[in-house]
Amino acid sequence: MHTADADPDMSSNTAPAAPASPSQPPGEGAVSVLWSFGKCLAALLPVYLAGYYGFSISLVLLGLMVYMGYKHGRLEKEMRLKSSMYLLENEREFTTQKLFRARRDLPPWVSFPDVEKVEWLNKILQQAWPFVGQYLEKLLVETIAPAIRASSIHLQTLSFTKVNLGEKALKLIGVKAHTEHDKRQVMLDLYLSYAGDVEINVEIKKYFCKAGVKGVQLHGKLRVILEPLIGDVPLVGAVTMFFIRRPKLDINWTGLTNLLDIPGLNAMSDTMIMDAIASHLVLPNRLTVPLVADLHVAQLRSPLPRGVVRIHLLEAEDLTAKDTVIKGLIDGKSDPYAVLRVGTQIFTSHHVDSNLNPQWREMYEVIVHEVPGQELEVEVFDKDPDQDDFLGRAKIDLDIVKKARIVDDWFDLRDVPSGSVHLRLEWLSLLSSADRLSEVIQKNQNLTAKTADPPSAAILAVYLDQAYELPMRKGNKDPSPMVQISVQDTTKESKTCYGTNSPVWEDAFTFFIQDPRKQDIDIQVKDDDRAFLLGSLTIPLNRLLESHELTLDQWFQLGNSGSASRLYAKLVLRILWLSDDASPTTPSPPPSGSGSGMGQGDITSNQNSAGPGGLTKPQPSRPQNTTPDPEFATEGVLRIHLVEAQNLIAKDNFMGGMVKGKSDPYVKIRVAGLTFRSHTIKENLNPVWNELYEVILTQLPGQEIQFELFDKDLDQDDFLGRFKLNLRDIISAQFIDTWYTLNDVKSGRVHLVMEWLSRLSDLPRLEQLLQYQSQQSYQNKVVPSSAVLFVYVERAHGLPLKKNGKEPKAGAEITFKNVSYKTKICERSTSPRWDEAFHFLVRDPRDETLTVKLSHSWGQTLGSLTFPLKDVLSEPGLVLDQWFSLDGALPESQILLRITLKILDTQLAVCRGTPGPGGDGSVEQFMPRWDPSHLDLKHRSGFSIIAENANSAGQVKLTISYSADENRLFIIVHSCRALAACSKDGADPYVSFVLLPDKKATTKRRTATKKRDLNPEFNERFDFDFTLEESMQKRLDLSVKHSGSFMSREKELIGKFQLDLDQIDLKAGVTQWYDLVAEST
């Protein structure tokens, strides 16, 4: 007899066997039989109908073949998805067991040592994946579905019935960081791999239509660029992301979209989806997410190209014969042609009949957006009437072409038994000056090629931003504008903005220009039907040649349009220049060996002894000059003179605040990642520091300078206020001498003198600057710099070997006074290449020296150079670019440097110049006064100005211009700032003005009233139907008033000013700030 707590295993042996499943009801069994019978009838019905109606049996066979192909493709796709999921889940085991297989099967972190694993990030993604799914479901159901339903009457019953991202999260197979190319950005390559069990179903009830996706594969390399780096939270101005090449995509469809798995439609559907992805996320398209304000997002989304590569497709040899006779018994020939790809740019050569050693002699030009990353892919095919046969491919990393400038070599074709192709690749730099345009055009005329397009002398980048007040369609309906941009025979179209007469396109286009002196750009704004013209514009490109840095960035008046119709665009022209000192690699002889084998025909950045074609690399002739980046030596110097402060808050109180004390103030200045700190002044609410700071800066958008004041205490320093300045405004003003009000505190202001120093190559000016500096004295013992030194370290040659006979891992250390920088360490070579730039502040270039020391991994010395800067002073343009012999090394050991000196000019040296001829020291004394009229502080937070005049009542910003097209004068009241308060709540300001003489006050105008705002923004435009002569006879009488209460009869005047319009250039138009004068003056 068993007890209640008997062993369950024993009890189960004695218990009667339970049925495997509950008994099936008789009704369900009948339904199952009927369903099986129905499927048999459905399968035989097409055969019966074909016989009944006398159709050919071939139709039945065709349908059967399509069905079998569909089932086969479906099963294959499911197997690929399952195998990818298995591979991602068991990556470590899979890699370890197969470690010695072909390199192409290994993940990136095994194949390339500079690609790092990020398993910690994959764990975070896996943990957060369910919540990502919840967000996606909310997005699709609550945002996207209503938008789709509203877009068409046929989709009003659409709904997402199931949204499930599954359990398989996106994986990062590896991450590679590029930090050696540009110090102002961080570039990341993310190797993405996603094989997920995502399931999304959609239903349109009106048409009984169901469709969906069940399983997706996506594999590719996503580049993420963090730029610009800024010295403030969040440290990064914007995030830009894109795929350099199209990712691989495989989608498993369900429901009605099952039809897309039919052979033929499958490839077509995936291609259409990839085209949609490419239009947003594959070069040259980018997705940019700004993180801070005042960024030029359009330039980050569509930056200027890195350069242009001119490809000369010359010839090929030893190609495989594909046109064989008698089933291969007799070898024939091939009819080869080549297909060249760089990103989305594709070119096809002509085919050469019956030739295994064809000569094409064709030339192509491609725009390169990203290096490293982009590759030139060359594929050779045999032309056939049906399907062309594959003859091999080669890939070339364009980063190698950029460094070498010219590559002329044979490249093995891989994936075939034999064959090689001869290419000449030239890297064309982009110049922002037209000085060499005539020379470029003359060189291009000497080039001959079979291609129909002649060589280009320049490229034109068009940033199409927006339009304003386009004409309406018939019936006063809003148009749907798009833009056609044409240069010679090339026309490109923008996207369409539906239902607006003030569209915003934010598109970018690039054109090759043969001769900008003779060509025009034609812009036509049309409705989406391409028939109704909304406006047109023609701009001669020689107008760009006369503009600053070959750039036009402005509003353009549209012709054949409304009187107020305008278009905003930025046009940038860049001259294509092949460096004179670029020496091509000597073309190696065509290879005689087989072209098969892994990696042949590829160029990678890890080349050592192998040449670009995978052959023995010939020794190129050494360049005689450096080839720095175009942005070398473009940095500027900001000089900050911290003078004094007033009315600071007393923090050191006694007896619980009953007795007011003092403060011990000091200042922290943060700019471009650097922090300067002043000395502390004891017990003073009106301290005088008289300290000078200098910093070398790059002109990046969004940079700010932060000033913070603190009271020095034994424990924690007390806060005394802060304020921020925009570097862009300081650069625009050049010189600023003013007081700044402290924010976040009750009182206090700081006196600063700041100057963005001009850079000169004028040697006589140096003596005046040095004499001026010798007369200056600052509390922090800083001597103002007279120059800035730029050093470009390109390469070395003939370095000695290590003591053990091996080649060194060379690095260079550049020292100037007490400042030292180190280059990267190159791989083992006696001729290393660094391509790095450095800069230093120089007090007196006549007495100072530069030291360059080369060593093996910062150990064994390989040679050194001591260079006195006075040698640069005798060089033209203060630039020295040459090879320098190294001391303490071999006789042939040399280093290639460019040393550039820029004199730092200051306006103060002009004011307090050298004594006059009489020696009495009398000079014309004048101090440059800061004119803030050109600054736009509209978006600045916490920035206020205390005017030098005690009676100043603030400022007003106006645009005054005369439109010749409209024959009218217009005045735009933008905003006011630093207005005087009229009550405890501030003021309720508005602007009123009249154009004198005006007896009947017909020109009197006023803006709307802004409540409780001392920095109001109006942005209101007022037009006057005057001729230009009449406008110049007018006098503007403007007042800013406070709108009092309802019971008040008079309006209180805040400030006013008057301006004679004949004092400004009305045709060009003027936008600036004007000082308001208080009523008491």
Side-chain angles (χ1 to χ4, degrees), residues 779-795:
Q779 190 70 29
N780 56 347
K781 309 299 182 184
V782 170
V783 178
S785 302
S786 63
V788 58
L789 174 66
F790 298 95
V791 181
Y792 183 73
V793 185
E794 181 165 301
R795 64 179 78 194

Side-chain angles (χ1 to χ4, degrees), residues 979 987-991 1007-1016 1018 1040-1043 1054:
L979 296 180
D988 299 337
Y990 68 93
V991 177
T1007 66
T1009 302
K1010 302 296 180 179
K1011 295 292 186 180
R1012 298 181 181 179
D1013 195 348
L1014 297 180
N1015 299 282
F1018 301 101
V1040 179
K1041 300 180 179 181
H1042 164 64
S1043 179
I1054 297 176

